[in-house]
Amino acid sequence: MKKVYTAKDIADIVAAGGDVTAIPEGAVITPSARDAIREALKKGAASGKAAAPSSKSDEPIVPDYEFHWKPGTDPKTPEAIQAFFNSPEIRVLKERMCDMGRRIWARSFCDGNGGNITIRVGDNLVLCTPTLISKGYINPDDIALVDMDGNQVAGRRKRTSECNTHLAIMKATPEAKSCVHAHPIYATAFAVCGMVPPTCLIPEPEVFLGQIGLAPYETPGSAEMAKTVGAMAPDHQSILMENHGVIVWGKDVEDAYWKMENTESYCQTVYVASQLGGMKTYGPQKLKDLMNIRTSLGMPEKRADWKECELCDNVEFRPGVVCQADTGVINPMSFKPGGKDETEALVQKVTDMIMKQLGS
């Protein structure tokens, strides 16, 4: 029977000053144990031995899954690249990519072989999901390794053609250590309609996404698409791609995946709210407070120097259903359903038109 390693087992190895890379081949490692291994490797020596426990180990922490490498140390020879690609710390990242893939698939953010995921692991090295595979059933041995020009340097399965768009984002924005692309239904619907959701409605998207971008349509996987989306990345962590889907970036793959969830949830909420009518914004001054929180978390904020009148300008947003009366189109952002007099007048007008047609 295979040995199962849990987070407690890894903690015991760390406490004893052991080598967390010495786990037997074929052992079963739980997700929490993989997290613990990565943290130990980050804090420990190059040999893989964990650092001695800190006297402040009982202090609350914020999990950090960002991958750090020493600039100028990328492996060069085929043998060194293979050793790096199959190392325990890269194995942890592959497992995490597969976990994100399953979550994307389980949330119906992609169908068939749609969607792709990347993690930057060096000056010139990026892990990426392969082409033609369901993200719900991907495993670590399927992951590919490419350079920043898209050339595959390791992995048994062919890399996705859309990784070039991810690479363009990483080149334009060094803070982008991971990208996730998918086709969530509501956010993709906004992309198909060529519109972004309005602002000043919900705090969380303003903090964790900032302004959502809209990239004009280009053929998926093309150089034109990579150039267009890459140019928008420094100002937008979430980009709707017209008639295609959504791409987001973050400091690590979990951070990027969360932004995909944030984007889809926001688009769905706005869609439902637009059907109810009377959406209420909280104003530019409140938005500035949220922008300050965003920048305090180290996230880019392109709207920092915008005027107040620009911050909550939703004039371009047009819900698909509006109500009409004799005076013209009612502003969908201020319409309150239930106007009895207007409804009766509209019904009477339609009735008169029908009777006129019948009479003629």
Side-chain angles (χ1 to χ4, degrees), residues 92-105:
V92 170
L93 297 182
K94 293 177 184 177
E95 293 276 4
R96 191 172 294 282
M97 290 174 73
C98 295
D99 183 38
M100 296 305 112
R102 286 187 287 271
R103 289 160 73 174
I104 289 171
W105 181 83

Side-chain angles (χ1 to χ4, degrees), residues 254-282:
E254 181 123 18
D255 181 38
Y257 169 74
W258 285 346
K259 286 172 173 51
M260 184 64 70
E261 282 193 350
N262 294 151
T263 302
E264 174 66 351
S265 179
Y266 190 36
C267 289
Q268 183 175 3
T269 300
V270 169
Y271 170 78
V272 173
S274 70
Q275 306 308 300
L276 297 175
M279 290 191 291
K280 181 180 179 181
T281 62
Y282 43 69

Side-chain angles (χ1 to χ4, degrees), residues 6-222:
T6 66
K8 184 180 183 304
D9 295 322
I10 303 303
D12 291 341
I13 294 174
V14 170
D19 187 348
V20 295
T21 66
I23 294 174
E25 185 73 24
V28 178
I29 306 174
T30 66
S32 59
R34 289 194 294 271
D35 292 343
I37 290 172
R38 187 179 186 284
E39 289 299 316
L41 287 170
K42 188 166 67 174
K43 296 176 181 178
S47 65
K49 288 190 175 183
S54 168
S55 60
K56 298 183 178 180
S57 61
D58 57 342
E59 291 185 1
I61 63 168
V62 176
D64 181 8
Y65 303 118
E66 182 176 355
F67 185 79
H68 300 276
W69 66 88
K70 185 178 179 180
T73 61
D74 283 4
K76 304 297 182 183
T77 67
E79 295 77 15
I81 289 173
Q82 284 297 325
F84 174 77
F85 185 58
N86 295 306
S87 64
E89 57 183 346
I90 295 301
R91 177 78 181 190
V92 170
L93 297 182
K94 293 177 184 177
E95 293 276 4
R96 191 172 294 282
M97 290 174 73
C98 295
D99 183 38
M100 296 305 112
R102 286 187 287 271
R103 289 160 73 174
I104 289 171
W105 181 83
R107 290 289 301 271
S108 297
F109 287 178
C110 60
D111 55 4
N113 62 286
N116 41 70
I117 304 168
T118 53
I119 300 178
R120 189 170 182 178
V121 293
D123 294 338
N124 193 40
L125 293 173
V126 177
L127 296 171
C128 75
T129 48
T131 189
L132 297 177
I133 191 169
S134 169
K135 303 310 171 292
Y137 295 89
I138 194 169
N139 68 69
D141 293 333
D142 295 321
I143 302 299
L145 183 68
V146 300
D147 64 23
M148 288 290 282
D149 291 322
N151 302 305
Q152 186 160 344
V153 297
R156 64 183 181 86
R157 294 199 56 143
K158 184 179 179 180
R159 57 88 164 171
T160 173
S161 62
E162 292 196 61
C163 76
N164 289 323
T165 301
H166 297 225
L167 299 176
I169 290 175
M170 293 174 180
K171 288 177 181 178
T173 314
E175 297 82 6
K177 296 287 190 67
S178 178
C179 298
V180 174
H181 163 57
H183 313 127
I185 293 172
Y186 286 90
T188 302
F190 271 81
V192 168
C193 292
M195 66 172 67
V196 294
T199 59
C200 300
L201 291 173
I202 303 174
E204 285 76 12
E206 304 294 354
V207 172
F208 297 111
L209 297 175
Q211 187 192 42
I212 296 175
L214 179 65
Y217 178 80
E218 296 291 352
T219 302
S222 67

Side-chain angles (χ1 to χ4, degrees), residues 305-324:
D305 297 325
W306 285 20
K307 298 177 181 178
E308 285 197 0
C309 60
E310 297 174 310
L311 291 175
C312 295
D313 183 6
N314 295 318
V315 69
E316 296 298 323
F317 177 68
R318 291 288 184 271
V321 177
V322 297
C323 294
Q324 291 185 323

Side-chain angles (χ1 to χ4, degrees), residues 336-347:
K336 306 290 186 185
K340 181 177 180 182
D341 293 341
E342 287 186 355
T343 302
E344 289 180 351
L346 183 59
V347 171

